[in-house]
Amino acid sequence: MVAVRLVGAAPERVFEFLADLHNHWLLEDRFVELSGLDGDEGSGPRGGRVRLKGPLGISREARTRVLSARPPTAVRPGRLAGRADIGRGTTGRVAWEIAVGENGGSRVTLRAAAERASLLDRTLLLLGRWWLQHTFDRALANLDRILEPATTAPETSPAPSVRPVLEQKAAG
């Protein structure tokens, strides 16, 4: 599964946002629910528990963990890669790649692949591939919306903040 989108924010800003796992729950509203984050206080969360809610009331809980995080540079895309375990029979990989895009923005690619899947999860993936693709596309659209640059001149604007989105999300 692959989704790609040009995002208006600079690659460094996109990486900073995605590297903070607290922000990931903002990318999906009704179909992904953060159950908790795992990690030590010094380095921040390195994984968590996420409930994926699909069509027809189907739901699965995934345990996730970050395997690598490489910030973007002018010559090399940034990358966040992780692993998800669903039950005892399903494992997969997820990766975000953040490259320099047009007009100071970013080209963001979100990839996921099942490494091993139980019979139930293989069936769900086969039947729900369209839904998962839509979910990935929507997550990237939300990323662009959340990090949307201010409309004033860049030299006078502070870096975009996710605080208003966090407050709006918390209010319901």
Side-chain angles (χ1 to χ4, degrees), residues 20-104:
D20 183 347
L21 295 184
H22 292 100
N23 292 331
H24 283 240
W25 71 280
L26 296 170
L27 300 178
E28 267 306 318
D29 30 32
R30 62 183 187 258
F31 294 116
V32 178
E33 176 183 295
L34 178 67
S35 300
L37 293 173
D38 305 322
D40 61 41
E41 303 251 342
S43 63
R46 297 293 299 165
R49 293 170 311 286
V50 177
R51 176 148 311 273
L52 308 166
K53 298 182 278 182
L56 307 174
I58 296 170
S59 125
R60 306 286 283 140
E61 183 166 284
R63 291 195 62 77
T64 64
R65 73 176 167 264
V66 175
L67 299 175
S68 65
R70 182 185 71 213
T73 67
V75 296
R76 183 186 71 201
R79 182 172 168 84
L80 290 161
R83 176 184 169 115
D85 296 303
I86 301 173
R88 290 183 295 166
T90 302
T91 60
R93 300 265 180 185
V94 177
W96 296 84
E97 186 173 283
I98 306 112
V100 173
E102 299 172 6
N103 300 322

